[in-house]
Amino acid sequence: MNTLIIGATGGIGAATARAFAAQGDTLTLSGRDEGRLSALAADLGAAHRVADVGYESHVRALLEGVSGIDTLVYAAGVALPEPVKDADPAKVRAVWNANYFGALWVLKHGLPQLNAGGRVYVLGARPELVTARGFTQYAASKAALATAVGIARLEARGVGLILVLPPAVDTGLWSQVGRAPKGAVSADVVAAAIVQDRAGDMQNELRVGD
């Protein structure tokens, strides 16, 4: 199958790329960091395209260059936690671009590129895990994403649009606040759940670990 992973250089994105490569998928990987992206693509024998999901033009060009997609994984995400009183406009834009607007542009330009029976996996967040000091923008952007995915699913009938809701995951995101919570799972656990789900019946949510 043809699989496109956006945000492929992050912890979950890279793990998911390796998991799909292990089962023989034809991969296209996308991210912003040319060096890390090209190294991962070379390691997995995958194609790669640099794109910044904060720009609709980048996303449109990416999706127009990758047709016949069976599986699309949107794993881009940014936290940048800070108190509301210190909200920095540049950080706020970065969080919303990665967590919400990037996904919106991917749905807009990616859904028409899916093959029959194709599926899109979007990484969300469990509200109970992100309702914490400093996480106003991260929590709000992920909540908006969940709502948008639900409505897009109504508009794109016949397409598998799955919101992935993992538990706390031990990735570099937590370095911004110290360390991952006790009991956090590895990115490989999330990747394995997505690959397993892709082979099964279609569902609206994938709650990893439940």
Side-chain angles (χ1 to χ4, degrees):
M1 288 195 294
N2 291 325
T3 296
L4 169 63
I5 299 177
I6 297 174
T9 56
I12 295 176
T16 304
R18 294 188 181 96
F20 275 112
Q23 68 168 22
D25 281 30
T26 299
L27 291 179
T28 300
L29 310 179
S30 184
R32 293 189 303 171
D33 188 321
E34 168 69 33
R36 292 173 62 190
L37 185 65
S38 60
L40 179 63
D43 185 46
L44 299 180
H48 71 283
R49 296 171 65 93
V50 176
D52 184 337
V53 297
Y55 296 95
E56 182 183 3
S57 59
H58 285 212
V59 175
R60 181 174 60 247
L62 169 65
L63 271 302
E64 287 176 350
V66 185
S67 59
I69 301 170
D70 297 300
T71 309
L72 196 166
V73 179
Y74 187 84
V78 171
L80 302 179
E82 59 184 356
V84 171
K85 67 181 180 63
D86 297 327
D88 177 84
K91 290 182 179 180
V92 171
R93 283 192 294 270
V95 170
W96 279 84
N97 280 340
N99 298 345
Y100 180 78
F101 286 109
L104 176 64
W105 306 139
V106 166
L107 293 177
K108 177 181 177 179
H109 298 288
L111 290 175
Q113 302 286 20
L114 288 181
N115 288 331
R119 297 188 190 180
V120 179
Y121 290 87
V122 178
L123 268 293
R126 301 190 188 193
E128 67 272 18
L129 297 180
V130 297
T131 304
R133 292 182 177 89
F135 277 77
T136 52
Q137 301 309 312
Y138 185 82
S141 60
K142 288 294 189 178
L145 175 63
T147 299
V149 166
I151 294 174
R153 191 182 296 119
L154 298 176
E155 298 173 351
R157 295 186 181 278
V159 172
L161 187 47
I162 300 97
L163 183 66
V164 183
L165 298 172
V169 184
D170 189 0
T171 68
L173 181 148
W174 290 102
S175 65
Q176 300 167 14
V177 293
R179 61 181 181 179
K182 183 178 180 180
V185 302
S186 71
D188 291 335
V189 170
V190 182
I194 293 173
V195 171
Q196 182 179 11
D197 184 84
R198 185 63 181 88
D201 294 334
M202 195 177 296
Q203 58 181 326
N204 291 341
E205 287 188 355
L206 173 57
R207 295 184 66 88
V208 180
D210 285 3

